Amino acid sequence: MVLFVINTLWLNALPLNWHNVTVDRNVEAVYCMYCDSYRHFWIGSDYGLYRYDGFNAYLAIDDDLFRSQVYSIVEQAGVLYIGTNNGLLGIDMLTGN
């Protein structure tokens, strides 16, 4: 799947640049996108959670629990919460666990 992503996600820095981003051949739908406080860009899809680093999108956590439909992403107190069809999952952003 190819997404069109704004290169500058924080709109106070102009100009805006659009890029085609290939997420993964397994992805058929993208349900949500989120930019965290560290300016990491997250993509929630029907095949799991992906992280976009400005150049490539890659599967954030290669675990069957996280390889589910991701419908929502939010950050609070250093934890990235992911709403999936398997329930609510959390990732400590400092340790990655």
Side-chain angles (χ1 to χ4, degrees), residues 51-70:
R51 183 168 163 217
Y52 176 66
D53 64 6
F55 302 101
N56 299 302
Y58 55 90
L59 197 58
I61 298 176
D62 194 13
D63 184 297
D64 286 339
L65 186 61
F66 283 87
R67 200 174 304 120
S68 58
Q69 295 174 346
V70 175

Side-chain angles (χ1 to χ4, degrees), residues 74-82 89-94 97:
V74 67
E75 172 191 9
Q76 185 174 4
V79 178
L80 193 67
Y81 292 100
I82 301 107
L89 306 173
I91 301 172
D92 184 312
M93 297 188 55
L94 293 177
N97 296 323

Side-chain angles (χ1 to χ4, degrees), residues 23-58:
V23 177
D24 190 331
R25 63 181 179 179
N26 296 319
V27 173
E28 294 180 7
V30 170
Y31 298 119
C32 59
M33 294 183 274
Y34 183 77
C35 183
D36 67 22
S37 62
Y38 297 101
R39 295 191 175 185
H40 299 148
F41 191 69
W42 301 90
I43 301 167
S45 75
D46 63 335
Y47 193 70
L49 181 67
Y50 287 79
R51 183 168 163 217
Y52 176 66
D53 64 6
F55 302 101
N56 299 302
Y58 55 90

